Structures are given as structure tokens and as C-alpha cells.
Amino acid sequence: MADYLTVGYLAMRCPVGKVRDALALHDAQSQRQRGLPHEVLVYFVLAMVLYASVAYEEVLQLVVEGLRPLLGDDRLAQTVVSKGAI
């Protein structure tokens, strides 16, 4: 539970709107519907720094679970975390 709160705190300190603006500024926003939108991948990279000794799949699971309530995005509701997703 504390790990999910950490991801939520990360999203509060680096709001989704700013992430989307930065992606748009560099023409790197998602062009189509994906299981892992680019916004989630930005938080994944940030979380990899915080959880450097944890397996990537576990870090991605923390990010997805932590962002689901914050993003309110139905795309994350069906996201399955696996090596293939990364």
C-alpha cells in the first residue's frame, strides 16, 4: 500500500497535466489508444529511479496500480503488466 501511495505522491508532485504538456511540446504524446499510454511510461521511468533494486515488472505494476485511481482512465483498467508490456 505504501508503494502505491509513493506513486500517487509522485503524480501529485509531477502532475499528469504537466507530463502531457511536456509530451506534446516534444511531439511525443500517444498517437493511438494503447494499454500503456506515454504518460504512464514517464511515471514508470521516474519510478525505476526510486525502485532501482526492484524488477521492472514489479515497478510497472506499482505504477499502473498507483495511477489507476488518479488518471481515471479506462485504458489502465485492463492493463496487464508483463515483460511484453514493457
Side-chain angles (χ1 to χ4, degrees), residues 2-69:
D3 291 329
Y4 300 139
L5 293 174
T6 300
V7 173
Y9 180 75
L10 181 63
M12 285 175 29
R13 300 299 299 162
C14 185
V16 176
K18 286 189 178 187
V19 171
R20 288 180 177 153
D21 290 345
L23 289 170
L25 180 66
H26 297 284
D27 199 30
Q29 68 272 26
S30 296
Q31 299 297 321
R32 56 190 163 113
Q33 296 283 41
R34 298 172 183 261
L36 288 172
H38 289 171
E39 297 93 336
V40 175
L41 295 177
V42 169
Y43 289 108
F44 173 56
V45 171
L46 294 172
M48 284 191 309
V49 174
L50 296 174
Y51 297 97
S53 62
V54 179
Y56 290 162
E57 294 89 359
E58 291 179 42
V59 175
L60 184 57
Q61 182 69 39
L62 288 172
V63 170
V64 169
E65 292 297 327
L67 290 178
R68 277 183 180 153

Side-chain angles (χ1 to χ4, degrees), residues 65-86:
E65 292 297 327
L67 290 178
R68 277 183 180 153
L70 295 174
L71 292 179
D73 194 340
D74 292 336
R75 293 178 290 176
L76 289 182
Q78 303 301 321
T79 298
V80 177
V81 175
S82 66
K83 284 185 180 184
I86 297 171

